[in-house]
Amino acid sequence: MAATLPSLSLSGVSKSFTMHLQGGIVLPVVRNVGFEVHPGECAVLSGPSGVGKSSLLKMAYGNYAVEAGAIRIRHLGEMVDIATASPRTILEVRRDSLGYVTQFLRVVPRVSALDVVAEPLVARGTEVETARARSRDLLARLNLPERLWSLPPATFSGGEQQRVNIARGFITDHPVLLLDEPTASLDARNRQVVIDMIGEKKAAGVALLGIFHDEDVRDRVADRLIDVALFAPEKAA
Amino acid sequence: MTSEPLLRVTGLEKMYGTRVGCRDVSFELWPGEVLAVVGESGSGKTTLLNTLSTRLAATAGRAEYLMRDGVWRNLFDLSEAERRLLMRTDWGFVHQNPADGLRMTVSAGANVGERLMAVGERHYGRIRSTAVDWLTRVEIAADRVDDEPRRFSGGMRQRLQIARNLVTHPRLVFMDEPTGGLDVSVQARLLDLLRGLVSDLGISVILVTHDLAVARLLSHRMMVMKDGLVVETGLTDRVLDDPREPYTQLLVSSILMV
């Protein structure tokens, strides 16, 4: 591992929220975060709720602003700093290099589950039919009933939506994948499928950074735990 | 990936006498990019849209546009004839009220065909078949081609207005509250349609809306305006999920959740 260059690297990352509607109180989240994730490795963020694990993933995705420090993602052979990149660059990095699976699916009206999953491939220029074929494979593997594939996921159950989300996140071969509780509302059988899929991503050299509250899942996918509590802001700050 | 923007706006200002319409607006718009301009009534977002589309005269600043021939031109230096040509061919303007962008007493087909004729198409059969093709793309049945839009529902009228705008393959489309007066279910259909067309055709869009859900669904980047000034700008999901400025926090926290 030591010989490879990291695919994801955080250094000196700090974040706080200023709540202007609550008299400008400042809520510090994390301070001076630094770690690296290498190709083929699954690093898991640990620590109690509210310690800033999800915020770190959102910052790495460019969804939350970064106050200080750098979050570098390997993109087309170069390291791009998400903290300072332009919106246009962040969208390009997301399209080609950086995937993100959340617990919740943001549904787009009228788009079928099949196309929701195929979309990241189509956005990268894959033929629609090829992308749909790949989408079918993943939905079948995640045991989503075939009668649901042509329907928009808005009315799906939590577990069904989550599987659509997982398929969408795993369909590309992005070198960096962020996972926020991807197995939270899944049954044992589908949890196992996701564990296998994570293993395949590792074997393919993808760098994964995730949050897993389920200890069993965590033990089976994690190569390394990163204790986010170590980056807690000092109480005095 | 293209290395040049389509539009470069610097220090744009529009005063109405001593009252500020919009001020100090600077940004770049790239090919294929959808920029949402959000804010409440009176924030200057519509003034900005009308000034950029040269429907209003700017009082200061520049808006340089990369013309089809590859030459950069300041929009405010164009002649009247050049402006009209741009509006008829390379630009589209989708109004909130379709009646403002359509001719209500000529057929749907003629509404679409008229734009084609403006770019020099003269062959009746081709004009008609292209018109029918575009009506189908916006989900209006081909057998409605000879009907006048005043016989259409609000949602259909809006889809027709979109077809009329897109038929000439514009590179830049201005949209002013395009889903404004529509029922929610009709809105959803229109949004989905717009989203597909914009990404398939690679059009750049400047979208004015007060509806943050519309902005989230359609736009890549977002500009928040208040009292004529841009108060926050950034990637759309970043601005909505981690708003930094007091006014943006107020806007985002005011959304009703369903």
Side-chain angles (χ1 to χ4, degrees), chain B residues 3 12 32 42 54 67 73 75 86 160 163 165 177 182 187 212 214 227 235 244 252:
Chain B
S3 53
L12 187 72
T54 70
M67 307 290 273
R73 297 287 304 276
L75 293 174
L86 260 190
L160 178 62
N165 272 283
E177 305 276 6
L182 303 173
Q187 260 195 33
L212 299 182
V214 169
D227 301 332
L235 194 64
R244 316 296 291 159
V252 170

Side-chain angles (χ1 to χ4, degrees), chain A residues 15 18 63 92 94 119, chain B residues 1-2 195 237 241-242 249:
Chain A
K15 168 80 180 167
T18 305
N63 179 230
E92 195 190 302
R94 288 180 182 178
E119 192 181 34
Chain B
M1 172 138 289
T2 22
R195 207 173 141 268
D237 62 269
D241 295 338
D242 185 16
Q249 292 188 356

Side-chain angles (χ1 to χ4, degrees), chain B residues 162-181:
Chain B
I162 287 161
R164 176 179 161 97
N165 272 283
L166 299 189
V167 68
T168 56
H169 292 275
R171 292 186 302 156
L172 173 60
V173 177
F174 301 93
M175 298 187 186
D176 188 8
E177 305 276 6
T179 60

